[in-house]
Amino acid sequence: VDDPNTRCTMFRRTTPQLTGQGGLYETAKGIYLDLPKKFRPVFKEKDLKAVFPSGASIKYSHMEYEQDKYNHQGLQYTFIGFDEGCQFLWSQIEYLMSRMRSKSKYSSRMVISCNPDADHELARFIDWWLDEDGYPDPDKCGVVRYFIRLDGDFIWADDPQELIDKYWVGPEQDPKRERVPKPVSTTFIGSTIFDNPVVLKDNPEYLSFLEGLPELEKAQLLYGNWKAKPEGSKSFTRSMIKYVDALPPDVVSVRAWDKAMTERTSGNRFPDFTACIKVSRDSDGRYYLSGDYHPEVFDGGDYSTQTAGRFCKRSGERDILIKKQAEYDGQDVTIVFPVDPGQAGGSEFLTSTRNLVNEGFRVEKDPMPTSRSKLTRFQPFCTLAYQGLVFIVRSSFDPKTLEAILKEMENFTGERSTRTRKDDFV
């Protein structure tokens, strides 16, 4: 409040969360209007802004839609606050990191308050401060670490000089890049309701409410567990699967595809994958899952998962990779594509199959209607696995890919995929 160049902004995801009863803006007024007159700000209701006598200000903002982040393009902030950070898209939080600069005499900083969400990128961002079970590690909470951004990734170290020494590039090596960005200090502090005696005193029933929650929500909201997440549908467990070293002779094989058409970008780092897997059936009705992936049919790039059989490409490059996989499999393996409902789905199927058919490959429509729920469409496979009729050709997968597939099937709930929980292999 003593610096006229200090500019602060506070975010909630939606306007009602910001301005509703007991919301961030109303609470702020209750605090700041109790200050001595020489520090007390004027609240500009139309702009949701508090301006202090010095000229310092706090703006209260929402960011309901991803593109709302661009409302802050070119702006500079001394302080950025996210309330309930896991309700925001990671791309919004990342973008606001680039606004951490101002003419204030104080260094810019960002503070994020949030409840645990195992599927949010923040869970990965703070992973170092958690124990193996997902709870905040008391020996690490408050410990300061440092990161730089390099080609879109976060590079971490315990000492900022370590990052400068390792990643600084002199002009004689690269005239365009004389230094890495300045390391940014970061810490994480885990807390629970038991760290807030005022709330416990004023709202004793709130603790009772938290203690009465289902186990998943209790682990998250009462004890602060960042790895607690809904279990899968229990339709499939890896114990149902048997393993073989190779495909038996005289099987009939198909390779099924789940097609997407989005590339990774800095604004969309976790799109859905195009994914595939080969399924074979013998004369006794046993089914075999195989990888046998073309070396180029994998997820590459800066944000690679380094698992085979899936990738993020636009439709043109995607179809080239599908054709390469078809050539790798040979013409004995039928290609299966799902067909979305409506005329557009039929047209897309014809377009994507024409070149393959002209090359002598057999392409069929997935007979399972895509209008049915994902969980319903998964059930026939689960039933076969439960009956002991599904085998995995272990040698056809690398270990990391096989683990990703099994984990995805076990965690599958039928709900929409998220940034960290995908259903493309399913």
Side-chain angles (χ1 to χ4, degrees), residues 18-33 43 60:
L18 192 69
T19 60
Q21 292 289 327
L24 197 64
Y25 185 65
E26 183 180 273
T27 301
K29 287 199 294 184
I31 294 171
Y32 291 129
L33 292 179
F43 280 87
Y60 296 85

Side-chain angles (χ1 to χ4, degrees), residues 189-348:
I189 301 170
S191 64
T192 69
I193 187 67
F194 303 108
D195 298 305
N196 197 332
V198 175
V199 169
L200 283 176
K201 180 181 177 182
D202 292 346
N203 303 277
E205 70 282 355
Y206 185 56
L207 177 59
S208 298
F209 169 76
L210 293 176
E211 289 175 332
L213 288 171
E215 290 304 314
L216 170 66
E217 287 85 351
K218 186 191 298 185
Q220 290 175 314
L221 302 180
L222 180 58
Y223 300 118
N225 189 305
W226 278 84
K227 294 183 180 179
K229 59 191 301 184
E231 294 184 348
S233 64
K234 293 297 185 183
S235 298
F236 173 84
T237 62
R238 65 183 68 196
S239 61
M240 298 175 180
I241 295 288
K242 302 175 182 179
Y243 294 91
V244 294
D245 294 327
L247 277 176
D250 301 323
V251 295
V252 176
S253 298
V254 304
R255 183 174 295 277
W257 289 86
D258 181 23
K259 294 191 291 184
M261 53 188 300
T262 305
E263 281 189 326
R264 277 191 177 84
T265 65
S266 58
N268 185 15
R269 294 178 59 185
F270 304 98
D272 287 341
F273 294 97
T274 293
C276 68
I277 198 162
K278 186 166 80 172
V279 184
S280 305
R281 184 179 64 196
D282 66 18
S283 57
D284 294 321
R286 290 185 288 257
Y287 291 81
Y288 303 85
L289 304 185
S290 305
D292 294 328
Y293 295 116
H294 186 286
E296 291 184 33
V297 183
F298 69 97
D299 174 42
D302 293 336
Y303 314 111
S304 172
T305 62
Q306 293 302 306
T307 50
R310 58 182 182 180
F311 52 83
C312 297
K313 298 292 183 183
R314 294 187 183 275
S315 56
E317 292 181 85
R318 176 200 68 193
D319 291 345
I320 290 173
L321 290 175
I322 289 175
K323 183 181 176 183
K324 286 185 176 182
Q325 182 64 56
E327 293 168 344
Y328 194 73
D329 288 334
Q331 295 184 349
D332 291 338
V333 178
T334 300
I335 301 163
V336 176
F337 291 142
V339 182
D340 291 332
Q343 183 176 355
S347 298
E348 199 281 333

Side-chain angles (χ1 to χ4, degrees), residues 140-156:
K140 293 181 177 179
C141 284
V143 174
V144 177
R145 301 191 78 213
Y146 299 84
F147 73 81
I148 60 169
R149 302 297 304 281
L150 195 61
D151 298 328
D153 288 330
F154 289 86
I155 310 296
W156 291 91

Side-chain angles (χ1 to χ4, degrees), residues 83-94:
D83 193 22
E84 293 293 351
C86 287
Q87 293 181 2
F88 292 85
L89 298 175
W90 177 247
S91 60
Q92 295 173 321
I93 295 173
E94 268 194 311

